[in-house]
Amino acid sequence: MEAGVACKWNYPTWIESERFGRKSTGSLRFGRIAKQEHKTRVVVSARFPVQTSSNRHRSVSLEVSCSSYTNFSASTMETGSIHAPFDEALMLKNKSLEVEPYLNGHSIYLVGLMGSGKTTVGKILSHVLGYSFCDSDTLIEQEVNGMSVAEIFKLHGESFFRKKETEVLQRLSSQKQLVVSTGGGAVVQDVNWDYMQKKGIVVWLDVPLEALAQRIAAVGTHSRPLLHYEDGDPYTKALKRLSYLLEQRGKNYAKANARVSLEEIAGKLGYRDVSDLTPAEIAIEVFSFSVLYFLPLSY
């Protein structure tokens, strides 16, 4: 089987990848666009059907459907298509097979500031592991009659939202084989750490503040209630508030079992900017760091 076919992501930046619409049920497909029309489908594994052509161009499709889980109507998946090189998809699968014995069904909780890519990376991790993906913010929205996080903050206040967040994490903590994208402030409550680490490992996606501010400014700040306290243009507002939040939460994020620094990954791969990293490259690094942290864990 040949690998190393080069191509670009259909959603080449983290900003654009966040444009997936949230749905309570659905599926996510990864695939590479083959340049030839005549292709045959063969199966390389249970979740990795591969489309091949007579030349070297291949299309790798990763597909998994949402599955229901206890206490919630359905796991929260985002729907869309992402295109990846065959070798990148193969590396992801190999990394997942490497970490799976150590993970032993325990969940992965992704933490980090708003805009750090927890949902995007979480979707990839869940699909290659065969886990269910959950977005804690979306689960809270479902519990409050579909009200958005911004609306919840406005009508009920942050304390109400944090209480709901803890309730959601408590219920998720009784289950295994989940990848959970948490809200940026989930790390503040000590009890949330008890729930996240009950049957899981916590991974911090550490992204430079300037990169986060650029991402958030590009898509707008209206859905980020904690940014409404600042004045100025979207980038300035985001940077000011993110700096404040990191100062307040930095010690909490540092309690994670693994820290994945996008700045360090970009340097290792020879990229000039973290925005050049693909979501799959981040996911591969999460698996690499996870192996190191799973080894000493015993439950």
Side-chain angles (χ1 to χ4, degrees):
M1 210 180 268
E2 296 178 345
V5 182
C7 71
K8 294 182 179 179
W9 286 79
N10 196 28
Y11 295 88
T13 70
W14 285 85
I15 297 301
E16 292 178 339
S17 66
E18 295 293 339
R19 292 179 184 173
F20 287 138
R22 291 179 176 176
K23 295 184 179 180
S24 58
T25 59
S27 63
L28 176 69
R29 294 179 177 83
F30 298 74
R32 200 186 73 79
I33 301 174
K35 292 185 178 180
Q36 300 295 326
E37 295 181 356
H38 302 291
K39 300 175 288 291
T40 2
R41 173 167 295 211
V42 298
V43 177
V44 266
S45 75
R47 288 185 298 277
F48 285 69
V50 177
Q51 290 181 318
T52 67
S53 65
S54 57
N55 64 7
R56 295 179 49 159
H57 298 289
R58 312 268 172 115
S59 175
V60 179
S61 176
L62 317 181
E63 180 177 345
V64 70
S65 298
C66 296
S67 59
S68 298
Y69 59 93
T70 310
N71 295 318
F72 296 104
S73 58
S75 61
T76 304
M77 293 271 187
E78 296 197 1
T79 303
S81 295
I82 300 178
H83 300 287
F86 179 78
D87 57 342
E88 205 169 60
L90 185 60
M91 187 178 296
L92 271 169
K93 185 58 182 176
N94 287 339
K95 283 291 184 181
S96 73
L97 293 174
E98 181 183 348
V99 75
E100 202 166 7
Y102 304 110
L103 189 57
N104 194 29
H106 289 84
S107 299
I108 297 176
Y109 290 82
L110 299 177
V111 301
L113 287 168
M114 64 180 81
S116 58
K118 300 183 293 288
T119 295
T120 304
V121 173
K123 290 183 299 184
I124 296 173
L125 296 174
S126 68
H127 281 76
V128 294
L129 285 170
Y131 280 19
S132 294
F133 173 77
C134 310
D135 183 316
S136 64
D137 281 356
T138 301
L139 295 175
I140 295 169
E141 291 173 342
Q142 291 174 357
E143 288 202 349
V144 191
N145 301 317
M147 192 178 296
S148 70
V149 171
E151 291 172 330
I152 295 172
F153 267 72
K154 183 177 180 179
L155 295 178
H156 300 287
E158 184 176 358
S159 60
F160 174 87
F161 177 85
R162 296 303 173 197
K163 179 182 177 182
K164 287 292 183 183
E165 185 172 56
T166 297
E167 292 173 358
V168 164
L169 292 174
Q170 180 182 17
R171 290 197 289 273
L172 291 175
S173 70
S174 65
Q175 301 170 64
K176 301 180 71 173
Q177 296 189 334
L178 302 176
V179 176
V180 181
S181 169
T182 67
V187 297
V188 175
Q189 304 288 342
D190 289 337
V191 67
N192 291 347
W193 284 95
D194 295 334
Y195 294 139
M196 290 189 291
Q197 294 181 325
K198 180 181 178 181
K199 291 183 179 179
I201 183 172
V202 181
V203 179
W204 173 23
L205 296 185
D206 186 10
V207 186
L209 295 180
E210 294 79 6
L212 289 178
Q214 290 173 355
R215 295 176 186 176
I216 293 170
V219 297
T221 61
H222 62 280
S223 64
R224 310 284 186 177
L226 292 180
L227 298 182
H228 298 168
Y229 300 101
E230 305 293 342
D231 296 323
D233 60 87
Y235 175 81
T236 302
K237 288 170 61 175
L239 186 59
K240 284 182 180 179
R241 193 62 180 177
L242 288 167
S243 299
Y244 170 79
L245 292 175
L246 184 60
E247 183 179 347
Q248 298 295 311
R249 303 171 179 172
K251 292 182 179 179
N252 300 98
Y253 289 132
K255 293 193 296 185
N257 300 104
R259 170 180 171 265
V260 177
S261 169
L262 269 65
E263 190 170 33
E264 292 176 5
I265 297 171
K268 183 178 72 173
L269 297 178
Y271 296 149
R272 298 180 62 182
D273 193 89
V274 297
S275 63
D276 295 327
L277 291 167
T278 68
E281 287 171 331
I282 308 301
I284 289 169
E285 291 297 321
V286 170
F287 281 140
S288 298
F289 278 97
S290 295
V291 170
L292 299 177
Y293 284 90
F294 286 138
L295 284 172
L297 290 181
S298 58
Y299 291 85

